[in-house]
Amino acid sequence: MAPHPAGRRRGRAALTALAAVTAALTAGTTAIGSAVAAPSDDHADARSDARSDARNGSLQAFARGPGQQVRDTSIGAPVDLGLLYVGAHPDDEAGTLSTLGLWRQRYGVKSGVVTVTRGEGGGNAAGPEEGPALGLLREAEERKAVGKAGITNIYNLDKVDFYYTVSEPLTAKVWGHDDTLARTVRVIRQTRPEVLMTMDPAPSPGNHGNHQEAARLAVEAYRAAGDPGRFPEQITKEGLKPWAPSRLLTRSFAGTSSTGPTCGSTLAPRDATRDVYGVWGGERAPDGRTWAAVEREAQRQYVTQGWGGFPDVPTDPTKIGCDTMTQIESRVPIPEPGSAAATAADGAIAGALTRPAGALPLGTGAILTTDQADIQPGGRVTGTLTVTAPAKQALTGLRAQPVLPAGWAVQAGTVPARVAAGRSVQVRFTLTAPSGAATGARSRLAVRLTSAQGSGYVDRSILVAPAVTAHQQWLPQVDQFEAWTREAQVPQLSGTVAPVLTVASGGRRDIPVVVTNSSSSTQSGQVTLKPPAGFSVAPAGRAYGPLAPGASATVTFTVTNTDATLKTGAPGGDYAYTLETTSSTGTASTPQALELVPQTVAAKARPTLDGVVTPGEYGGPALDISRVWEGTACDSAADCSGQAWVSWDADTLYVAAKVVDDTKGTALATNDCKRHWRTDSLEIAIDPRGTSENTSTTFKAAILPFTAEGPACGLRDADNHQGPAASTAPGMTWSVKVNEPYTGYTAEVAIPMSELPSAIDPARLGLNVLPYDSDTQDKTGQTRIGWSVWGGVQGDPYRWGQVRLDGYVPPAGRSTTPKEPVIPLEALSSLDSPQSVAQAVVDNVALAGGPSATLRTGGWIESVRPAYGEAVVTVRAARAGVAHVSLMDASGVLGRRTVEVPGRGTLAVRVPVTRPAVGTPTALVGWDGPGETTLSSSVTPSRSGR
């Protein structure tokens, strides 16, 4: 008898086990814990407990001998996927399930999902679980949701969803970018998808930093997975092979679109050189519903996120829109933009997974590159066209026709008429831009390919830049993103974030302007800043130079908001202005923008904390905190509105808010005083020095004005030290008076400045006051209002209001350097997720994107048999490791133990059974071996009894 049935793949019993595990955990049944069992023999001591006898009787399905049980492991050929979606959290893929479901139905595309975290940092509208327990629930929700689109392959990378942040650099640090990239590459090399799809990698306002990092991982993995020099140990030690996906898509889209069946052909991208695609959600699924309706049903599975109450989608087909996508890169010929093939439902995957009529054969490669990312008017760029024939089919009669903007010239080499099967040819060419080409925009360079076997299209965009460019100093995240676009070789993503800086209403600030010489000769000239209406600038212009080719210099202007009546925040929007830069080639203009944030002066006053704000108590003006920044608009001032006040005395900051609200949200238990956005709450965000790049160096307190037990409670969230106020800000005090009958509440909060991450800069303290309004009892919020309002502003310190504390001097010795942040790092291990272990058995992809154990290094289940009140799971090990053992049935977890295995041999693990089994149980073992290697195995009694 073989040691175990290695390599048995996708058996019916294993699929049944995976379905049962997923269904059970989706139902939110017994929580999974862990314990350590000492090695034992195969014989359990008899127990007379009647309850144990009952549980033992329920496990008789395990009584068949080892030869009568279906055993399986994760060793074998991994599943072969057509598409892999890379996201950060469960539900990140939810907006594209209509498309993935249609592609599976119509074109047979098998999709999988990489989810870097399990969303432990999100809220929970369904129960009290948080941390790893919440991650287990959210994974189950995701499996059930994507199952609506026929997706069964989900790969959690076991990184932590620490809290909401808009910072990719912070996310990359917490996750460990290189390790997470290696795991992503390993999954790609194992599953071999032709198409990668991901999120928006840019620090667009409000874009979750986790989303940005997940997208950047996908972009980098697109190149790294096919490069044998990247993560070579996966090839030399693990036996994987390089794999280069054919197309890379992001589901982000910048532009306009329409609804109805023609939505895919009416997409108008903001950048006309981008290849964009739309898939109409009105197509019919196999059950007769529209795919948009199926997608909505899938989204409703995310009950913990409050999505269970999402409304129905329109039944009128003309009101159903498209899922939209933008191509980042392609290694294969694509349909020509605007053609019927490009606007068809498979336009985004054509050339990689489908072959439109008359197109080049699948397996044909086509890549167009240029040796530089930009070009000056009248300048030249060298390009290379690489064409690869399919592995088993030659291309004959090949021709390449350049497709260039008006006025461009090309000198190209000769294209071979025949390319042998599996071989590549390269053609070099030189492109010349017209001397009068408009600068500041991208141009599309393309080649039409024709052959006896079919035709195709390949393109590349290039920026037409002036000799000298100027831009206001980028925000730190934007500066870092621009550097990343160069390092990751995706210059087409550069410039996707509008350059903005904030100015306090009625205030002034210095605006550093970076001047860069992009030409091949030394340049000198003048930069002129033309401010928007309501602003002044000094001086009007600055000289620069001489500036060597490729060099940059910085000149500084001082901008003042002279009209303090201009709207601040999102209602005011961007106040656009122009930078004009002269050089030897003329004058170039670049659009820039300023944004206004509110400003106030905090009076020196020591209020009485009694939940009542008396006139003059705070000594300064009231702040309007009634403007909406996220969610639905307030029905009226009685529905949601408010005022706030701020003062200081000695070394304490005081903040008060009078919130008007006509309906109470959920009264959370005092021990559930967290995730304040689930109900009525007040958030006070403080950036001590007004310079924080992300909230890890800020102080963010939240007050729940009432709890199930009655009194208000306090906490800190997504800041320098998240957690209950008693342990994270013990000096903070508050008093809340709730109006009866309920019309809102008044909260007064005293925050010792010693509790802040660093000493305050009294000239530019960052502050925001943000009430959250909930009118339901389902732990979901509806409206968010505040003082400085922008989408996602809770994570954007640079957009908070500014406060001056005239006369305040921080105590001597208080550091101006923020304390090292305390960030929650606990995440669920896939070894402790039976649903992940069950999937690994089915698709032979190792857990968490890690390396796989082998028969010489791993451990696996040999058999399971019942005993009194428990099951005895026999594990065979090739060497020492840790066995994570689970017993599952149709209702959830029957039992669970984690066992250290001392070395080679067999070990009988007694797993206590907590209740009678429902249906046929399955035993699962996730093996944790040396070097983070894992092996998954299962035992299920054979239905036939064989």
Side-chain angles (χ1 to χ4, degrees):
M1 176 177 164
H4 76 300
R8 184 178 295 157
R9 305 181 62 228
R10 293 189 294 274
R12 179 172 298 176
L15 286 169
T16 301
L18 176 57
V21 169
T22 300
L25 286 167
T26 303
T29 53
T30 309
I32 295 179
S34 64
V36 177
S40 62
D41 58 29
D42 286 337
H43 302 287
D45 295 333
R47 298 179 183 177
S48 59
D49 182 31
R51 288 175 298 175
S52 297
D53 290 339
R55 292 194 293 268
N56 180 59
S58 72
L59 288 172
Q60 288 306 312
F62 278 134
R64 305 180 184 94
Q68 298 172 329
Q69 297 177 352
V70 176
R71 294 176 293 157
D72 204 351
T73 74
S74 56
I75 294 178
V79 66
D80 191 351
L81 299 177
L83 180 147
L84 194 62
Y85 183 97
V86 181
H89 318 101
D91 75 37
D92 284 347
E93 79 299 315
T96 193
L97 291 177
S98 169
T99 293
L100 300 184
L102 175 64
W103 284 348
R104 181 174 180 85
Q105 172 194 9
R106 185 173 295 179
Y107 310 112
V109 176
K110 185 174 179 61
S111 299
V113 178
V114 169
T115 305
V116 181
T117 81
R118 286 180 171 83
E120 301 94 336
N124 186 356
E129 295 86 358
E130 61 177 334
L134 175 58
L136 194 66
L137 291 177
R138 293 198 66 183
E139 179 187 349
E141 289 176 339
E142 183 176 33
R143 290 184 180 278
K144 190 171 182 180
V146 301
K148 305 295 182 183
I151 299 171
T152 58
N153 303 92
I154 296 176
Y155 307 101
N156 295 102
L157 301 188
D158 291 4
K159 301 300 178 176
V160 66
D161 176 23
F162 48 100
Y163 54 59
Y164 175 78
T165 178
V166 295
S167 174
E168 185 277 339
L170 179 63
T171 303
K173 180 180 179 180
V174 173
W175 285 358
H177 179 83
D178 290 348
D179 177 71
T180 314
L181 177 60
R183 292 172 182 272
T184 306
V185 166
R186 186 180 281 108
V187 173
I188 291 171
R189 286 173 172 171
Q190 288 177 307
T191 60
R192 305 176 302 282
E194 278 74 21
V195 177
L196 288 185
M197 184 185 293
T198 190
M199 311 185 79
D200 181 4
S204 307
N207 189 19
H208 201 312
N210 289 186
H211 296 170
Q212 297 174 47
E213 171 66 358
R216 295 190 202 185
L217 290 167
V219 171
E220 293 181 37
Y222 174 81
R223 296 188 186 282
D227 182 353
R230 298 296 306 277
F231 309 108
E233 69 283 354
Q234 296 181 6
I235 298 169
T236 59
K237 295 182 179 180
E238 299 174 34
L240 300 179
K241 294 181 179 179
W243 178 263
S246 298
R247 296 188 72 172
L248 173 63
L249 308 168
T250 171
R251 52 170 293 214
S252 57
F253 167 73
T256 60
S257 61
S258 63
T259 59
T262 61
C263 59
S265 60
T266 57
L267 298 179
R270 189 168 59 202
D271 177 355
T273 67
R274 303 303 300 274
D275 296 315
V276 298
Y277 305 93
V279 180
W280 184 48
E283 299 286 357
R284 297 289 169 175
D287 63 4
R289 294 180 297 167
T290 64
W291 272 109
V294 175
E295 180 177 277
R296 179 52 48 88
E297 182 189 1
Q299 292 167 342
R300 288 171 177 157
Q301 308 311 309
Y302 292 105
V303 177
T304 61
Q305 304 310 293
W307 291 18
F310 275 13
D312 291 341
V313 299
T315 56
D316 182 351
T318 65
K319 295 181 180 179
I320 296 176
C322 274
D323 288 347
T324 54
M325 291 148 281
T326 304
Q327 178 172 283
I328 298 178
E329 288 283 356
S330 177
R331 294 185 172 100
V332 295
I334 64 174
E336 185 164 348
S339 67
T343 58
D346 64 331
I349 56 175
L353 290 168
T354 64
R355 182 187 183 186
L360 286 161
L362 288 178
T364 302
I367 302 174
L368 183 64
T369 61
T370 56
D371 63 349
Q372 58 195 53
D374 55 50
I375 189 173
Q376 280 75 55
R380 292 184 177 182
V381 61
T382 299
T384 303
L385 171 67
T386 303
V387 179
T388 304
K392 297 182 179 180
Q393 184 176 10
L395 297 179
T396 58
L398 183 65
R399 298 183 61 187
Q401 177 189 358
V403 182
L404 304 175
W408 286 65
V410 60
Q411 292 181 329
T414 302
V415 179
R418 185 180 188 280
V419 183
R423 302 298 296 271
S424 298
V425 297
Q426 288 189 335
V427 180
R428 302 274 288 180
F429 55 89
T430 301
L431 294 166
T432 304
S435 58
T439 61
R442 294 187 175 277
S443 292
R444 186 197 298 268
L445 313 178
V447 175
R448 290 192 186 101
L449 299 171
T450 58
S451 74
Q453 290 71 38
S455 60
Y457 179 92
V458 59
D459 63 8
R460 170 74 51 184
S461 71
I462 191 168
L463 176 67
V464 181
V468 177
T469 59
H471 64 81
Q472 67 183 13
Q473 184 182 63
W474 287 320
L475 293 165
Q477 291 182 36
V478 178
D479 194 17
Q480 188 264 357
F481 172 71
E482 290 292 332
W484 175 80
T485 64
R486 297 187 293 272
E487 295 165 1
Q489 302 176 54
V490 283
Q492 64 271 31
L493 299 181
S494 173
T496 55
V497 181
V500 298
L501 289 174
T502 54
V503 179
S505 178
R508 67 177 58 187
R509 72 165 294 163
D510 288 341
I511 304 290
V513 173
V514 180
V515 186
T516 301
N517 181 4
S518 300
S519 74
S520 58
S521 60
T522 299
Q523 297 285 339
S524 297
Q526 177 98 353
V527 180
T528 303
L529 191 156
K530 296 190 172 182
F535 295 81
S536 65
V537 61
R542 291 280 193 186
Y544 73 87
L547 200 60
S552 295
T554 300
V555 297
T556 302
F557 299 86
T558 300
V559 170
T560 302
N561 172 223
T562 55
D563 183 358
T565 66
L566 292 178
K567 293 180 179 179
T568 65
D574 290 352
Y575 292 92
Y577 74 92
T578 301
L579 286 173
E580 289 189 349
T581 310
T582 62
S583 67
S584 63
T585 59
T587 300
S589 297
T590 53
Q592 311 288 294
L594 301 172
E595 295 177 340
L596 282 176
V597 297
Q599 178 178 233
T600 193
V601 177
K604 184 177 181 183
R606 185 174 184 176
T608 300
L609 264 63
D610 56 5
V612 178
V613 176
T614 59
E617 183 178 16
Y618 285 81
L623 312 179
D624 178 13
I625 56 172
S626 301
R627 298 182 299 170
V628 174
W629 54 279
E630 278 183 359
T632 57
C634 302
D635 294 333
S636 65
D639 177 26
C640 49
S641 61
Q643 291 180 301
W645 295 263
V646 58
S647 68
W648 65 277
D649 183 69
D651 198 36
T652 300
L653 191 70
Y654 297 92
V655 179
K658 187 179 292 184
V659 178
V660 179
D661 179 18
D662 60 358
T663 305
K664 272 189 173 184
T666 308
L668 300 176
T670 302
N671 62 6
D672 195 23
C673 189
K674 54 184 178 288
R675 313 293 196 263
H676 58 282
W677 57 86
R678 297 177 293 161
T679 188
D680 295 323
S681 63
L682 179 72
E683 183 174 67
I684 301 169
I686 301 172
D687 180 6
R689 308 203 60 76
T691 57
S692 290
E693 187 271 340
N694 61 70
T695 62
S696 72
T697 53
T698 70
F699 178 97
K700 292 176 61 191
I703 303 296
L704 272 59
F706 49 82
T707 60
E709 292 84 355
C713 67
L715 65 132
R716 290 175 63 179
D717 179 77
D719 68 348
N720 187 254
H721 193 178
Q722 175 176 281
S727 57
T728 62
M732 183 175 74
T733 57
W734 58 87
S735 178
V736 179
K737 183 175 181 180
V738 178
N739 301 335
E740 295 296 345
Y742 187 74
T743 57
Y745 59 91
T746 300
E748 294 184 288
V749 185
I751 303 170
M753 298 189 208
S754 60
E755 299 281 12
L756 304 181
S758 62
I760 276 179
D761 180 349
R764 56 178 303 171
L765 172 74
L767 174 73
N768 220 345
V769 183
L770 306 168
Y772 291 68
D773 180 50
S774 174
D775 292 340
T776 72
Q777 296 300 306
D778 61 2
K779 297 182 184 178
T780 60
Q782 282 69 54
T783 306
R784 301 175 180 184
I785 59 178
W787 184 38
S788 186
V789 294
W790 309 87
V793 74
Q794 80 273 41
D796 261 336
Y798 82 95
R799 283 177 155 173
W800 296 351
Q802 293 185 17
V803 181
R804 292 204 329 264
L805 276 63
D806 294 345
Y808 171 74
V809 179
R814 183 170 293 169
S815 178
T816 58
T817 300
K819 301 172 186 175
E820 189 67 23
V822 178
I823 294 177
L825 298 177
E826 188 180 11
L828 181 73
S829 167
S830 289
L831 290 159
D832 292 320
S833 170
Q835 50 201 334
S836 291
V837 174
Q839 179 192 292
V841 172
V842 173
D843 68 10
N844 299 325
V845 177
L847 297 173
S852 178
T854 68
L855 295 180
R856 301 188 179 200
T857 62
W860 55 89
I861 295 181
E862 283 232 315
S863 64
V864 181
R865 65 178 178 80
Y868 290 99
E870 59 189 12
V872 179
V873 178
T874 300
V875 176
R876 178 176 292 277
R879 62 175 62 179
V882 179
H884 298 248
V885 184
S886 299
L887 298 176
M888 299 294 301
D889 68 0
S891 292
V893 181
L894 276 168
R896 169 103 175 82
R897 298 202 80 164
T898 299
V899 182
E900 293 186 10
V901 180
R904 181 182 179 87
T906 60
L907 179 69
V909 181
R910 291 188 172 92
V911 182
V913 178
T914 58
R915 57 174 173 78
V918 178
T920 303
T922 296
L924 298 157
V925 167
W927 178 263
D928 186 5
E932 296 187 333
T933 58
T934 65
L935 181 64
S936 299
S937 60
S938 69
V939 168
T940 303
S942 171
R943 291 185 177 183
S944 65
R946 290 182 289 122

